[in-house]
Amino acid sequence: MENLKAIIESLLLVAAAPLAVDRIQALLPQADSREIRAVLQRLASEYSERNGGFVIREVAGGYQFRTQPQYREVVKKMLQPSPVRLSRAALETLAIIAYKQPIIRHDIEQIRGVDSGGILRMLLDRKLVRVLGRREIPGRPIIYATTRQFLELFDLKDLRDLPSPKEIEELGRPPRQADGESAS
Amino acid sequence: MTEDGYKVKLENVFEGPMDLLIHLIRKNEVDITDIPIALITRQYLAYLEWLKRMNIDFAGEFLLMAATLAHIKSRTLLPSHSSDADEDPRLEIARPLLEYLQIKQAAEELAQRQLLGEDTFVRPPSAPDDWGDAGEETIHVGLFELIDAFQRILENIAPDHRVDLTTERISIKDRITEIVDVLEAKGSITFTELFASESDKSDVIVTFLAILEMVKLCLIRVAQHLPTGIIRLFYL
């Protein structure tokens, strides 16, 4: 399709959520998904080269127009959004769920060392966390996982886009001697 | 060392025993894999004392950690008899601390990303409902409409299919996961589409219970399209 780029651009403008390749494909049966992906990438680089007020970001499995972070202050002034700030405790809980999902509350609390019920409820309310079901063990505890909204909020393509546990390990862990240092 | 007091500002109050331990380890500049248990335990208990003096209630988790520390110390003092289990007893605390540090690091990295609604913004959606043509109305469905629709699906099943109470062929949990997967991909699905592939009564019931459970957990919103009567499930 010759005007495929313009068509996809128009779809991106009006989409209410990150627009996935599959969704575009369903709307444009003539175009194949590789072509659509290539066009999306070309559009994204065009916008970033233009260096304007917004760019195309790949988030939560789709593509979306998003404003450039450096203009956050004036945009916030206009929109006056309710603050999204999450407490440190909420961020920690969310990080545990993101990296260890699917996970039950007991295992979350095991890592944090404190009760996390209230925080979990808040994360559920804000739809950053969802219930996947219940584990078939005594007490049938609820299994938690993160949501698409979580990916959208943190500007993540998908869960693999999270910094890998290795990277974090290297930052958090002091270099450890192989063995022999067992004296107290 | 322990006498220089804990000048803890209110915003610095520790979230839990792990937080406090990490603070003490950093303050003393010791290696997490080589914790001087006696020193850290003494400071830890001094902090609990301080909390008590300040009349701040602290959770049982703090006491549990104190007991764990004391237990580790006692094990380091005892000669080990079995040669195969001479792992450093301090690992019992070092391992979870390392894991917790990793998570703290991960949380910091998350906080530094370009947060939607904080650092970056999207165009607000123009229509309140993003399915169907503009101008179509939907109403929110109550439990009874949902049960009516369920009844109609049950009526379409051949009467010789009996509910087998002994075997659960597909669990509600699995069904919820399946429905979530479909909804993640499509955003919404009609009530009848969900039942399209099932002929077995027990499967239908599991699906229905899964829907009720999902409504209860606020995972989905159910709305009925006025002109056609089609009930649709939306992923929230």
Side-chain angles (χ1 to χ4, degrees):
Chain A
M1 251 187 293
E2 44 182 311
N3 47 2
L4 185 62
K5 198 169 83 176
I7 292 172
I8 290 176
E9 195 178 20
S10 70
L11 292 176
L12 277 176
L13 181 72
V14 297
L19 196 55
V21 174
D22 290 354
R23 185 83 201 283
I24 301 173
Q25 166 91 81
L27 294 164
L28 308 168
Q30 318 89 294
D32 81 297
S33 61
R34 244 181 334 153
E35 209 179 339
I36 293 170
R37 196 174 291 278
V39 166
L40 281 165
Q41 246 124 44
R42 195 147 13 106
L43 272 173
S45 61
E46 274 177 26
Y47 274 95
S48 89
E49 273 160 33
R50 186 175 155 264
N51 207 8
F54 55 92
V55 289
I56 297 175
R57 294 284 307 164
E58 193 180 348
V59 281
Y63 292 79
Q64 189 173 45
F65 281 124
R66 289 195 167 192
T67 61
Q68 292 274 52
Q70 58 261 46
Y71 310 117
R72 59 170 79 82
E73 292 312 326
V74 64
V75 175
K76 262 205 282 204
K77 223 169 173 179
M78 187 183 83
L79 292 178
Q80 304 195 316
S82 45
V84 296
R85 280 271 163 252
L86 291 162
S87 69
R88 199 165 50 98
L91 273 167
E92 279 174 23
T93 309
L94 203 48
I96 293 171
I97 298 170
Y99 280 93
K100 313 254 169 186
Q101 62 188 311
I103 187 171
I104 59 173
R105 176 168 157 188
H106 172 266
D107 293 345
I108 297 169
E109 292 178 346
Q110 189 83 3
I111 296 172
R112 291 193 62 232
V114 279
D115 180 276
S116 304
I119 291 170
L120 272 173
R121 219 164 306 127
M122 185 274 287
L123 292 174
L124 281 170
D125 279 349
R126 294 185 61 170
K127 304 202 170 58
L128 296 173
V129 163
R130 71 183 193 196
V131 170
L132 267 194
R134 289 172 181 276
R135 190 159 291 169
E136 297 302 334
I137 57 174
R140 303 190 66 237
I142 292 175
I143 303 167
Y144 297 95
T146 53
T147 58
R148 208 189 58 228
Q149 283 88 337
F150 164 77
L151 296 175
E152 286 185 28
L153 174 61
F154 288 99
D155 190 29
L156 293 161
K157 266 187 256 184
D158 46 40
L159 286 174
R160 273 165 305 167
D161 199 21
L162 283 167
S164 79
K166 259 268 152 47
E167 291 169 41
I168 288 165
E169 221 166 292
E170 278 156 22
L171 287 163
R173 172 172 302 195
R176 189 198 278 193
Q177 253 60 33
D179 52 359
E181 278 191 59
S182 54
S184 56
Chain B
M1 179 106 209
T2 50
E3 293 312 306
D4 57 0
Y6 292 91
K7 298 175 209 84
V8 180
K9 286 175 240 112
L10 252 184
E11 70 259 35
N12 248 352
V13 165
F14 299 105
E15 193 69 50
M18 301 288 265
D19 251 353
L20 173 54
L21 268 189
I22 284 180
H23 167 78
L24 293 176
I25 286 165
R26 286 199 176 137
K27 203 183 80 164
N28 292 290
E29 293 176 348
V30 293
D31 188 336
I32 233 171
T33 54
D34 190 24
I35 304 171
I37 294 287
L39 173 71
I40 296 293
T41 308
R42 204 160 52 232
Q43 295 185 3
Y44 184 91
L45 292 173
Y47 179 77
L48 291 199
E49 261 320 303
W50 177 84
L51 281 182
K52 237 187 265 170
R53 273 208 310 280
M54 296 309 223
N55 280 324
I56 297 172
D57 284 334
F58 49 88
E61 292 114 13
F62 278 98
L63 289 177
L64 180 64
M65 179 63 82
T68 308
L69 287 171
H71 180 64
I72 291 170
K73 185 64 208 168
S74 69
R75 272 168 58 204
T76 57
L77 293 175
L78 289 172
S80 95
H81 294 298
S82 51
S83 53
D84 54 322
D86 62 349
E87 179 186 271
D88 189 339
R90 294 175 303 169
L91 278 177
E92 187 189 329
I93 190 66
R95 270 200 213 100
L97 276 174
L98 279 172
E99 184 170 33
Y100 182 65
L101 267 185
Q102 274 186 36
I103 287 299
K104 275 180 96 70
Q105 182 66 39
E108 262 165 54
E109 300 217 357
L110 281 180
Q112 277 159 22
R113 297 190 67 84
Q114 308 295 356
L115 297 193
L116 181 65
E118 184 67 35
D119 304 305
T120 183
F121 296 84
V122 295
R123 272 170 28 75
S126 39
D129 257 329
D130 57 357
W131 72 278
D133 298 325
E136 289 188 347
E137 290 174 80
T138 63
I139 53 165
H140 287 264
V141 192
L143 182 61
F144 292 106
E145 283 91 342
L146 209 55
I147 288 173
D148 277 349
F150 179 55
Q151 211 90 62
R152 277 198 297 280
I153 284 161
L154 276 187
E155 280 160 15
N156 289 337
I157 296 172
D160 56 330
H161 279 280
R162 286 174 171 267
V163 184
D164 188 353
L165 288 174
T166 52
T167 54
E168 194 183 349
R169 303 191 39 204
I170 168 167
S171 78
I172 295 171
K173 177 187 104 183
D174 289 333
R175 193 65 184 135
I176 289 177
T177 313
E178 280 172 35
I179 296 173
V180 167
D181 284 342
V182 174
L183 288 173
E184 289 244 297
K186 295 166 75 175
S188 75
I189 187 167
T190 66
F191 195 66
T192 40
E193 265 175 332
L194 270 180
F195 294 98
S197 57
E198 348 244 10
S199 53
D200 194 294
K201 205 170 194 171
S202 62
D203 284 349
V204 171
I205 289 168
V206 167
T207 302
F208 188 65
L209 289 176
I211 294 170
L212 290 183
E213 183 79 13
M214 289 169 84
V215 170
K216 195 176 117 197
L217 296 167
C218 297
L219 283 176
I220 52 170
R221 184 165 61 85
V222 180
Q224 187 168 33
H225 186 230
L226 266 185
T228 59
I230 292 171
I231 295 178
R232 203 171 252 278
L233 280 63
F234 293 91
Y235 191 45
L236 294 177

